[in-house]
Amino acid sequence: GRRGKPGEKGSTRVAMSSEAFAKPAAGYKDWTKLVIFDEKGETIHSSSDVDSTELKQFLTAFDDRDTTVGKGLVLDKEHYEVHRVYDNLVYGRRGKPGNCQGICLHKIVNEKSKKNTYALVTWGGFATSARIVSELEEYCKKHVATM
């Protein structure tokens, strides 16, 4: 699709922010990006511009483990290898130890709407996926599942 400035008519890039999501996320210092989106791939909150066509690929990440591990995930035109796929979590990384970027996708059922909502976080440096995944689960339980 055509790309334009966020909010520009015909743009496939969306920039949104919401204090309800941004303020508590600021406490997680190792997160580089946070994107929250609905089951249609529409952005609810994003800490940076995201491509809506890329977001739609994440909706099928939980459908088939082998396909997801084989294809990996793409965000901002960067390919991430997927190492783990669970019922509600997919995560992996790109780069080499000491110079890598991690990615985690978490599927949450919204308590009010009963619909799937997704949260995606990236991180860099020496943060471990074990810690970041737990942080994302905690954040989603408090702030996304109850929105």
Side-chain angles (χ1 to χ4, degrees):
R2 181 176 114 29
R3 292 179 182 255
K5 294 178 182 169
E8 180 182 306
K9 189 174 181 178
S11 172
T12 60
R13 295 189 73 78
V14 179
M16 294 180 74
S17 186
S18 165
E19 283 296 309
F21 297 116
K23 206 168 187 176
Y28 299 100
K29 300 296 181 196
D30 289 314
W31 294 6
T32 52
K33 289 184 181 149
L34 170 65
V35 183
I36 301 167
F37 54 101
D38 66 18
E39 59 187 8
K40 295 176 186 168
E42 294 178 7
T43 307
I44 297 167
H45 166 81
S46 182
S47 61
S48 63
D49 287 357
V50 292
D51 186 326
S52 60
T53 56
E54 284 185 345
L55 281 187
K56 286 184 177 43
Q57 65 150 341
F58 293 110
L59 299 174
T60 60
F62 297 96
D63 293 350
D64 182 71
R65 181 195 181 281
D66 292 340
T67 300
T68 301
V69 170
K71 284 176 47 180
L73 299 173
V74 176
L75 181 66
D76 291 335
K77 297 183 181 160
E78 297 285 350
H79 180 263
Y80 292 81
E81 293 179 22
V82 169
H83 302 110
R84 298 283 183 263
V85 178
Y86 299 103
D87 288 343
N88 65 346
L89 289 166
V90 171
Y91 56 96
R93 67 175 175 264
R94 67 180 181 84
K96 296 184 171 132
N99 183 23
C100 69
Q101 182 84 11
I103 192 167
C104 180
L105 175 66
H106 186 23
K107 179 170 69 172
I108 312 103
V109 176
N110 182 282
E111 293 175 5
K112 294 175 185 167
S113 70
K114 304 297 181 207
K115 293 183 179 180
N116 288 333
T117 306
Y118 300 84
L120 177 72
V121 69
T122 61
W123 68 93
F126 294 99
T128 63
S129 58
R131 182 168 57 78
I132 301 296
V133 168
S134 330
E135 288 177 354
L136 183 59
E137 287 178 306
E138 171 189 59
Y139 174 87
C140 288
K141 186 177 182 181
K142 290 180 182 175
H143 306 288
V144 180
T146 59
M147 66 176 185

